[in-house]
Amino acid sequence: MASRIFFLSCLRADGSYRSLSPRPHYPSMPKYPKGAKASAAANGGGDDSGATPQEEEDEQEKKVALFSVLGMTCGACAGSVEKAIKRLPGIHDAAVDVLNARVQVIFYPAFVSEDTIRETIDDAGFEAALIKEEVKEKPTLICRLRIKGMTCTSCSSTIESALQAIAGVRKALVALATEEAEICYDPKLVSPTQLMEVVKDTGFESILITTGEDRNRVELRVDGELDGRSMSMVKNSLQALPGVEDVNIDPALHKVTVSYKSDQTGPRNFIEIIESTGSGRLRASLYPEGGGRELHKHEEIKQYYRSFLWSLVFAIPVFLTSMVFMYIPGIKHGLDKKVVNMLSIGELLRWILSTPVQFIIGRRFYTGAYKALRHGSANMDVLVALGTNAAYFYSIYSVLRAATSQNFKGTDFFETSSMLISFILLGKYLEILAKGKTSEAIAKLMDLAPETATLLTYDNEGNVINEKEIDSRLIQKNDVIKVIPGGKVASDGFVIWGQSYVNESMITGESRPVGKRKGDTVIGGTVNENGVLHVQATHVGSENALSQIVRLVESAQMAKAPVQKFADRISKYFVPLVIILAFFTWLAWFLAGKFSSYPKSWIPSSMDSFELALQFGISVMVIACPCALGLATPTAVMVGTGVGASQGVLIKGGQALESAHKVDCVVFDKTGTLTTGKPVVVSTRLLKHMLLRDFYEYVAAAEVNSEHPLAKAIVQYAKKFKEEQENHLWPEAEDFISVTGRGVKATVGNKEIIVGNKSLMLDSGIRVPVAAREILAEAEEMAQTGIMVSLDGEVVGIITVSDPLKPNAQDVISLLKSMEVKSIMVTGDNWGTANAIAKEVGIDTVVAEAKPEQKAQKIKELQMSGLTVAMVGDGINDSPALVSADVGMAIGAGTDIAIEAADIVLMKSNLEDVITAIDLSRKTFSRIHMNYIWALGYNIMGIPIAAGVLFPSSRFRLPPWIAGAAMAASSVSVVCCSLLLKNYRRPKKLDTLQIREILVE
């Protein structure tokens, strides 16, 4: 169930997908919680020695408070106030208005109060008063669009800026590599249709993927006569169904799109209603998946392939007549024959053949350039359009002058424009082909879902009366699905009959098959190994675990790494700079030729000085490539996050990936992280004469109310004394109190019972006898946890609990040291047990008896010392520290709050994956740096060569069409360099650890 907890945690309560956008890191202050639930962690989480308190609220929202501040006179004052507030834990944001003497603070009330904020402002030297408080933020949803027609980062930046300017859009991310946009918007102020219109206005086509609303959507194909009357009947009939929220009918495509609530209805009901409404004249089925990323990509690949082939049909004859046939005497004589004045047959043929390439096949470059220039930006299409137009229209000038002159001998460049377009189309074809491979991880995840499922029908007595094979997309909530041995589970659900072993490695990363029997949950996409199972569906469509992990990986690939800002800044000025360089290159060579600054012998016999200068200018214009820079980071991040998902390491975007490669300090929690998190009672020592059965009756009655692993271990052990009673009910505990990090208090049968650590006893005024202290000391030396029990103010016994270390914990710490990464343990357990565990695994620095906020404080101290800190934890009490760390790593079997607060989720719950995550991020960023070196190096070297710096010494010049081929090759090479990450293998030492672990078992 670790994966189920994780996937659900990725969604907000309102159904929107949680934003994975990067947040600023302040080394000197704790960060705010990433999820709303994490805000409850500071005062509602347990830790390693005490019991977890009951959560009073399932979710804590942000609050907005407005303060009047007297005494601010300038920007420096505002800065002081803002800095003081942001140093507090739990501050989301603070905005200071000097003119109106006000400060608006968005904060998490579980971390900080209005009074604390007000006192902090007072301490900064100003007088503050709370004047207004708002409880709720405006709701936001995440809309995803697929965008067609982008060629470089200039295109994506234009769309991003246009979307950001819309009222109601909180944030917009446009990814060139995935060709998708992710927009965080307020549905009250703007609709997805308006967002699509804005994209259209910028000159690009958009396709809606999801609006982000909490509903399922299905597309149905309706065959038959779909006239106005039948459409109206179908729409009204569907809208009358309970749970149907929206119905759209496209008569041209015979498509009906229905948005619905999955717990009330489903696609089979819609098909039945449509067919019954049409009185047998209409047939409905699931619409072929036409809007998917793969189909869109496949169609785009086909378009470029066709365009390239057609361009070759025209460009090759142009090239042959210009470059090859001119050296074959017989053919040369025929091509040189004059048609009108000095216009030859060869020139006329080249003009005719190159025109379709320039204006029909190359139309996409004109369109792209026009769209870019219309919005005040310049992209690759602008460079290609300028370069090819310069060559083509000069050639027309040459042809027309030859046709009207008796002695003009000019040279045309028709082969330059046609070959240039052909090579750029080839480059784009290869680039898209390569880019398609970067998202293979998502395709593989989606392929895990089976295409069909066996639906069971029961009679009133619960007997199976029918089995029917259906499309797995037609499964509805509460359907019962039969899963045969070797078959895939078609939907998330729970077993109602049968028992078997299920291989969940494709979802959770757990290599061992997991036993399943009646009542156990199963995950869609996993493989049933032996027995037959009947599974009742609980989460269908976009709600199931597989769909949610796909959305997580897609969002991770959308999020920009901070290093990408470097490329975005360069790309903004790249094209205008190249155009200026090309103009000055042409001007320099033209003036040099005009004033005879170089010998006439340098000029090729087939052209004059102006034409030579023009070729140099065109070559500079088309060799420069902004695409390679724009693709350097996103393609590597896409492949890196995809590889991580396949290894059981889920990385939430480029921010986490970039931070992880800088990590030089890892802070480990103890219970459930370094240890298995499944403690067992190893001994019980009574200090008073009483039956052990009665002793555990009292203890279990108090601890059964706690969710802490230690409490569960004690209750499980106590059940051994009640084996004859299968469903034994413990005595009712009254006045139950959970003391964070220490234990629990309750009244059971008129006796006041306290179960917890020594500090809880002392704070409660209970004397700890010498014998008890000695027992605790012995337990701590053996790396065990001693839990004291008092009845009516007197210590009556001590329960010793052991939580064994995870396999290879010691080896993982040793490997981190070899990677020059420092390891620290921070735990809520007692110092004795903490030191014993630390000594066993090889950790030198230990912080014990730490409360949740103290763990976060320790992270902050390490950051202030200059370290980049990763926190590895699994409990509610770890979430503040996970939030505060530069990189939070949650153990996959941990709580949903810890997983939501983390940047990286280790789904297999193996410590070795900490090393995998750090190593993968280092390899990914090494690849990004290589991409930048190649992309920048290519332009730095290519532009001078194209400008003719080698021409004076070696007579070497780069023809424009070869320069265009080089430009296309640079983008392809960057994508292929990123694709090499697919061959990533985790450090070999980790494989030897795994083998050793299997041998030991």
Side-chain angles (χ1 to χ4, degrees), residues 791-983:
L791 285 174
D792 289 335
E794 184 180 10
V795 177
V796 296
I798 295 174
I799 302 170
T800 306
V801 180
S802 174
D803 188 5
L805 279 176
K806 282 187 175 178
N808 304 324
Q810 184 177 358
D811 295 314
V812 169
I813 301 301
S814 176
L815 280 173
L816 284 172
K817 285 183 180 177
S818 68
M819 295 168 68
E820 298 182 357
V821 177
K822 182 180 181 181
S823 297
I824 295 173
M825 186 171 76
V826 179
T827 176
D829 210 340
N830 62 74
W831 279 99
T833 304
N835 284 323
I837 292 287
K839 185 177 180 182
E840 193 171 345
V841 298
I843 292 177
D844 300 323
T845 307
V846 179
V847 178
E849 299 179 9
K851 296 178 182 178
E853 62 271 20
Q854 291 172 332
K855 291 184 178 183
Q857 182 64 29
K858 181 61 181 177
I859 298 289
K860 185 175 76 169
E861 290 172 6
L862 291 168
Q863 290 171 331
M864 290 176 70
S865 68
L867 295 172
T868 302
V869 183
M871 170 70 193
V872 186
D874 72 319
I876 295 172
N877 59 312
D878 297 321
S879 54
L882 288 168
V883 168
S884 297
D886 295 288
V887 183
M889 298 187 188
I891 297 295
T895 65
D896 56 345
I897 293 175
I899 288 169
E900 186 174 353
D903 299 295
I904 296 174
V905 180
L906 312 178
M907 291 188 64
K908 290 187 273 188
S909 299
N910 291 339
L911 277 180
E912 301 97 278
D913 288 337
V914 174
I915 294 173
T916 302
I918 295 173
D919 184 65
L920 175 60
S921 66
R922 289 180 177 181
K923 293 278 175 37
T924 302
F925 267 79
S926 171
R927 190 67 57 184
I928 288 172
H929 293 148
M930 284 178 62
N931 284 347
Y932 276 135
I933 289 169
W934 167 248
L936 285 172
Y938 157 82
N939 283 303
I940 290 169
M941 292 179 62
I943 290 175
I945 292 172
V949 294
L950 300 179
F951 189 70
S953 58
S954 62
R955 304 295 180 275
F956 176 81
R957 62 188 176 89
L958 209 59
W961 59 275
I962 294 179
M967 179 191 77
S970 67
S971 297
V972 177
S973 62
V974 164
V975 178
C976 291
C977 186
S978 294
L979 280 173
L980 291 176
L981 269 174
K982 291 178 71 176
N983 301 322

Side-chain angles (χ1 to χ4, degrees), residues 162-225:
L163 289 169
Q164 290 274 27
I166 305 172
V169 171
R170 305 286 174 84
K171 183 156 192 171
L173 281 174
V174 181
L176 174 66
T178 58
E179 296 182 337
E180 289 183 7
E182 187 175 88
I183 306 116
C184 180
Y185 71 103
D186 185 345
K188 293 179 181 177
L189 299 176
V190 66
S191 69
T193 306
Q194 289 173 295
L195 297 175
M196 294 173 71
E197 283 297 320
V198 170
V199 174
K200 185 179 179 181
D201 289 342
T202 60
F204 298 89
E205 183 184 346
S206 63
I207 302 168
L208 182 66
I209 300 174
T210 175
T211 62
E213 296 176 5
D214 188 18
R215 62 187 186 186
N216 279 284
R217 190 175 65 170
V218 66
E219 294 178 340
L220 302 172
R221 179 179 179 84
V222 180
D223 294 314
E225 286 189 27

Side-chain angles (χ1 to χ4, degrees), residues 629-648:
L629 274 173
L631 293 169
T633 298
T635 52
V637 169
M638 282 181 70
V639 179
T641 51
V643 168
S646 67
Q647 300 262 354

Side-chain angles (χ1 to χ4, degrees), residues 670-680 709-710 803-806 874:
K670 183 180 76 67
T671 304
T673 302
L674 289 173
T675 62
T676 60
K678 298 176 181 177
V680 291
L710 297 180
D803 188 5
L805 279 176
K806 282 187 175 178
D874 72 319

Side-chain angles (χ1 to χ4, degrees), residues 605-753:
S605 58
S606 59
M607 61 180 71
D608 58 25
S609 62
F610 175 84
E611 292 165 347
L612 179 66
L614 184 64
Q615 279 216 345
F616 282 127
I618 294 172
S619 294
V620 169
M621 195 174 295
V622 297
I623 198 170
C625 184
C627 303
L629 274 173
L631 293 169
T633 298
T635 52
V637 169
M638 282 181 70
V639 179
T641 51
V643 168
S646 67
Q647 300 262 354
V649 178
L650 291 176
I651 302 168
K652 298 181 182 178
Q655 169 78 30
L657 201 63
E658 179 162 351
S659 298
H661 96 280
K662 302 174 185 173
V663 166
D664 49 16
C665 176
V666 178
V667 176
F668 290 95
D669 173 45
K670 183 180 76 67
T671 304
T673 302
L674 289 173
T675 62
T676 60
K678 298 176 181 177
V680 291
V681 174
V682 293
S683 68
T684 309
R685 302 283 290 274
L686 296 180
L687 302 180
K688 295 294 177 184
H689 291 288
M690 64 185 302
L691 289 175
L692 196 60
R693 175 174 177 163
D694 295 340
F695 172 80
Y696 272 104
E697 187 90 359
Y698 285 112
V699 174
E703 291 283 39
V704 75
N705 297 297
S706 173
E707 289 294 318
H708 196 278
L710 297 180
K712 289 183 177 180
I714 292 171
V715 173
Q716 190 64 35
Y717 185 77
K719 288 179 180 178
K720 293 181 180 179
F721 297 97
K722 300 289 183 181
E723 287 180 355
E724 71 279 1
Q725 301 178 32
E726 186 176 344
N727 295 316
H728 175 73
L729 295 175
W730 304 105
E732 185 177 351
E734 299 176 353
D735 303 323
F736 176 83
I737 299 172
S738 180
V739 184
T740 304
R742 297 184 181 184
V744 298
K745 297 179 181 181
T747 302
V748 180
N750 296 323
K751 286 187 177 290
E752 185 183 342
I753 181 168

Side-chain angles (χ1 to χ4, degrees), residues 118-194:
R118 181 181 52 76
E119 289 168 6
T120 301
I121 298 172
D122 289 344
D123 291 342
F126 304 90
E127 188 178 343
L130 180 66
I131 59 173
K132 185 180 178 183
E133 184 181 10
E134 295 177 8
V135 178
K136 291 187 178 180
E137 277 193 320
K138 292 179 181 178
T140 57
L141 297 177
I142 303 291
C143 173
R144 294 174 67 89
L145 303 175
R146 182 169 294 112
I147 298 176
K148 298 171 72 174
M150 294 190 295
T151 57
C152 64
T153 49
S154 178
C155 302
S156 58
S157 298
T158 300
I159 301 169
E160 211 169 85
S161 301
L163 289 169
Q164 290 274 27
I166 305 172
V169 171
R170 305 286 174 84
K171 183 156 192 171
L173 281 174
V174 181
L176 174 66
T178 58
E179 296 182 337
E180 289 183 7
E182 187 175 88
I183 306 116
C184 180
Y185 71 103
D186 185 345
K188 293 179 181 177
L189 299 176
V190 66
S191 69
T193 306
Q194 289 173 295

Side-chain angles (χ1 to χ4, degrees), residues 60-71:
Q60 193 83 326
E61 292 187 350
K62 299 172 194 168
K63 285 191 175 181
V64 181
L66 195 62
F67 297 87
S68 67
V69 182
L70 301 179

